[in-house]
Amino acid sequence: MKTPAGNGERQERAIAALLRYGTWLASAVIAIGMALGAFPQFDASIPFGFSGYGIVKAGVALFILLPVARVVLMLAIFLRERDYVYMAISALVLAIIVAGVMFGL
């Protein structure tokens, strides 16, 4: 039987892993974009018409999306645990983020 503290520790590890690996992924995408931008002769070989600068922008977008992904993960965790108060708080935070993005566009 798992204790609530052990379950909370597992949730924290999942959130930490999301942020850790997401940071590494975004950093790698930015590094690849910078490397491709430093060697313009490779720009012609990039599929879908991306440029080094476009790949760097995608990496920055990944960094911006990491906190949103964290809120979504927390919402899923609270939904699974049936913790309705924290689920409502997470849903409200996510709704505020979505509204901010929509008004910003």
Side-chain angles (χ1 to χ4, degrees):
M1 185 171 166
K2 291 188 177 187
T3 63
N7 197 18
E9 184 179 315
R10 188 180 69 178
Q11 294 168 355
E12 289 177 15
R13 280 193 305 233
I15 293 169
L18 171 74
L19 295 176
R20 180 182 313 114
Y21 296 126
T23 300
W24 278 106
L25 176 66
S27 298
V29 169
I30 290 173
I32 290 168
M34 289 175 66
L36 289 172
F39 300 106
Q41 63 268 24
F42 294 121
D43 264 348
S45 65
I46 301 174
F48 306 115
F50 285 119
S51 65
Y53 179 67
I55 294 173
V56 169
K57 287 193 313 187
V60 172
L62 284 173
F63 270 123
I64 292 170
L65 288 175
L66 275 175
V68 178
R70 178 178 185 237
V71 173
V72 169
L73 178 62
M74 291 175 67
L75 178 64
I77 288 171
F78 294 139
L79 181 64
R80 183 173 172 237
E81 296 292 322
R82 294 190 175 117
D83 192 345
Y84 298 115
V85 173
Y86 286 112
M87 182 186 69
I89 292 169
S90 297
L92 179 63
V93 169
L94 192 60
I96 290 170
I97 291 170
V98 169
V101 168
M102 297 308 267
F103 285 124
L105 294 177

